[in-house]
PDB file of all heavy atoms in Angstrom:
ATOM      1  N   PHE A1611     -27.979 113.662  66.772  1.00  0.00           N
ATOM      2  CA  PHE A1611     -27.214 113.428  65.588  1.00  0.00           C
ATOM      3  C   PHE A1611     -27.522 114.439  64.474  1.00  0.00           C
ATOM      4  O   PHE A1611     -27.302 114.058  63.288  1.00  0.00           O
ATOM      5  CB  PHE A1611     -27.629 112.003  65.060  1.00  0.00           C
ATOM      6  CG  PHE A1611     -27.238 110.909  66.110  1.00  0.00           C
ATOM      7  CD1 PHE A1611     -28.108 110.461  66.998  1.00  0.00           C
ATOM      8  CD2 PHE A1611     -25.930 110.488  66.190  1.00  0.00           C
ATOM      9  CE1 PHE A1611     -27.793 109.573  67.942  1.00  0.00           C
ATOM     10  CE2 PHE A1611     -25.634 109.516  67.026  1.00  0.00           C
ATOM     11  CZ  PHE A1611     -26.575 109.039  67.978  1.00  0.00           C
ATOM     12  N   GLY A1612     -27.968 115.630  64.770  1.00  0.00           N
ATOM     13  CA  GLY A1612     -28.085 116.648  63.785  1.00  0.00           C
ATOM     14  C   GLY A1612     -29.443 117.357  64.012  1.00  0.00           C
ATOM     15  O   GLY A1612     -30.352 116.824  64.657  1.00  0.00           O
ATOM     16  N   THR A1613     -29.510 118.457  63.564  1.00  0.00           N
ATOM     17  CA  THR A1613     -30.688 119.369  63.690  1.00  0.00           C
ATOM     18  C   THR A1613     -31.769 118.899  62.649  1.00  0.00           C
ATOM     19  O   THR A1613     -31.360 118.562  61.573  1.00  0.00           O
ATOM     20  CB  THR A1613     -30.410 120.944  63.481  1.00  0.00           C
ATOM     21  OG1 THR A1613     -28.948 120.991  63.554  1.00  0.00           O
ATOM     22  CG2 THR A1613     -31.072 121.650  64.496  1.00  0.00           C
ATOM     23  N   ASP A1614     -32.950 118.798  63.032  1.00  0.00           N
ATOM     24  CA  ASP A1614     -34.130 118.546  62.147  1.00  0.00           C
ATOM     25  C   ASP A1614     -33.862 117.238  61.360  1.00  0.00           C
ATOM     26  O   ASP A1614     -34.378 116.986  60.274  1.00  0.00           O
ATOM     27  CB  ASP A1614     -34.163 119.678  61.088  1.00  0.00           C
ATOM     28  CG  ASP A1614     -34.520 121.004  61.723  1.00  0.00           C
ATOM     29  OD1 ASP A1614     -34.961 120.932  62.828  1.00  0.00           O
ATOM     30  OD2 ASP A1614     -34.155 121.928  61.100  1.00  0.00           O
ATOM     31  N   ILE A1615     -33.065 116.243  61.935  1.00  0.00           N
ATOM     32  CA  ILE A1615     -32.875 114.922  61.330  1.00  0.00           C
ATOM     33  C   ILE A1615     -34.283 114.333  61.052  1.00  0.00           C
ATOM     34  O   ILE A1615     -34.548 113.692  59.982  1.00  0.00           O
ATOM     35  CB  ILE A1615     -31.769 114.129  62.010  1.00  0.00           C
ATOM     36  CG1 ILE A1615     -31.614 112.846  61.208  1.00  0.00           C
ATOM     37  CG2 ILE A1615     -32.267 113.823  63.387  1.00  0.00           C
ATOM     38  CD1 ILE A1615     -30.179 112.142  61.739  1.00  0.00           C
ATOM     39  N   PHE A1616     -34.984 114.211  62.107  1.00  0.00           N
ATOM     40  CA  PHE A1616     -36.325 113.574  61.981  1.00  0.00           C
ATOM     41  C   PHE A1616     -37.255 114.257  60.900  1.00  0.00           C
ATOM     42  O   PHE A1616     -37.849 113.610  60.135  1.00  0.00           O
ATOM     43  CB  PHE A1616     -36.984 113.569  63.316  1.00  0.00           C
ATOM     44  CG  PHE A1616     -38.316 112.959  63.339  1.00  0.00           C
ATOM     45  CD1 PHE A1616     -38.540 111.494  63.070  1.00  0.00           C
ATOM     46  CD2 PHE A1616     -39.553 113.630  63.496  1.00  0.00           C
ATOM     47  CE1 PHE A1616     -39.745 110.993  62.942  1.00  0.00           C
ATOM     48  CE2 PHE A1616     -40.768 113.068  63.384  1.00  0.00           C
ATOM     49  CZ  PHE A1616     -40.867 111.670  63.160  1.00  0.00           C
ATOM     50  N   GLU A1617     -37.229 115.630  60.950  1.00  0.00           N
ATOM     51  CA  GLU A1617     -38.135 116.411  60.101  1.00  0.00           C
ATOM     52  C   GLU A1617     -37.728 116.081  58.564  1.00  0.00           C
ATOM     53  O   GLU A1617     -38.557 115.935  57.698  1.00  0.00           O
ATOM     54  CB  GLU A1617     -38.006 117.860  60.364  1.00  0.00           C
ATOM     55  CG  GLU A1617     -38.767 118.357  61.560  1.00  0.00           C
ATOM     56  CD  GLU A1617     -38.176 117.999  63.019  1.00  0.00           C
ATOM     57  OE1 GLU A1617     -37.007 117.451  62.717  1.00  0.00           O
ATOM     58  OE2 GLU A1617     -38.788 117.966  63.910  1.00  0.00           O
ATOM     59  N   THR A1618     -36.386 115.953  58.412  1.00  0.00           N
ATOM     60  CA  THR A1618     -35.864 115.746  57.001  1.00  0.00           C
ATOM     61  C   THR A1618     -36.367 114.380  56.665  1.00  0.00           C
ATOM     62  O   THR A1618     -36.955 114.264  55.507  1.00  0.00           O
ATOM     63  CB  THR A1618     -34.387 115.697  56.978  1.00  0.00           C
ATOM     64  OG1 THR A1618     -33.903 116.992  57.678  1.00  0.00           O
ATOM     65  CG2 THR A1618     -33.805 115.686  55.635  1.00  0.00           C
ATOM     66  N   LEU A1619     -36.207 113.367  57.476  1.00  0.00           N
ATOM     67  CA  LEU A1619     -36.741 111.969  57.143  1.00  0.00           C
ATOM     68  C   LEU A1619     -38.169 112.074  56.864  1.00  0.00           C
ATOM     69  O   LEU A1619     -38.667 111.367  55.906  1.00  0.00           O
ATOM     70  CB  LEU A1619     -36.412 111.031  58.197  1.00  0.00           C
ATOM     71  CG  LEU A1619     -34.939 110.761  58.472  1.00  0.00           C
ATOM     72  CD1 LEU A1619     -34.602 110.071  59.718  1.00  0.00           C
ATOM     73  CD2 LEU A1619     -34.420 109.898  57.238  1.00  0.00           C
ATOM     74  N   LEU A1620     -39.026 112.718  57.706  1.00  0.00           N
ATOM     75  CA  LEU A1620     -40.378 112.808  57.667  1.00  0.00           C
ATOM     76  C   LEU A1620     -40.805 113.404  56.342  1.00  0.00           C
ATOM     77  O   LEU A1620     -41.884 112.951  55.752  1.00  0.00           O
ATOM     78  CB  LEU A1620     -40.984 113.690  58.780  1.00  0.00           C
ATOM     79  CG  LEU A1620     -42.384 113.337  59.161  1.00  0.00           C
ATOM     80  CD1 LEU A1620     -42.531 111.935  59.731  1.00  0.00           C
ATOM     81  CD2 LEU A1620     -42.747 114.285  60.288  1.00  0.00           C
ATOM     82  N   SER A1621     -40.046 114.292  55.767  1.00  0.00           N
ATOM     83  CA  SER A1621     -40.395 114.876  54.486  1.00  0.00           C
ATOM     84  C   SER A1621     -39.945 113.963  53.373  1.00  0.00           C
ATOM     85  O   SER A1621     -40.154 114.338  52.223  1.00  0.00           O
ATOM     86  CB  SER A1621     -39.647 116.206  54.201  1.00  0.00           C
ATOM     87  OG  SER A1621     -38.340 115.995  54.033  1.00  0.00           O
ATOM     88  N   GLY A1622     -39.488 112.815  53.649  1.00  0.00           N
ATOM     89  CA  GLY A1622     -39.151 111.806  52.655  1.00  0.00           C
ATOM     90  C   GLY A1622     -37.734 111.764  51.959  1.00  0.00           C
ATOM     91  O   GLY A1622     -37.462 111.099  51.255  1.00  0.00           O
ATOM     92  N   GLN A1623     -36.965 112.745  52.568  1.00  0.00           N
ATOM     93  CA  GLN A1623     -35.612 112.825  52.095  1.00  0.00           C
ATOM     94  C   GLN A1623     -34.700 111.943  52.971  1.00  0.00           C
ATOM     95  O   GLN A1623     -34.887 111.849  54.221  1.00  0.00           O
ATOM     96  CB  GLN A1623     -35.183 114.265  52.149  1.00  0.00           C
ATOM     97  CG  GLN A1623     -35.833 115.147  51.236  1.00  0.00           C
ATOM     98  CD  GLN A1623     -35.389 116.514  51.527  1.00  0.00           C
ATOM     99  OE1 GLN A1623     -34.165 116.754  51.605  1.00  0.00           O
ATOM    100  NE2 GLN A1623     -36.255 117.458  51.770  1.00  0.00           N
TER     101      GLN A1623
END
Side-chain angles (χ1 to χ4, degrees):
F1611 298 94
T1613 342
D1614 301 337
I1615 182 162
F1616 177 69
E1617 285 72 12
T1618 311
L1619 291 166
L1620 202 60
S1621 74
Q1623 296 173 49

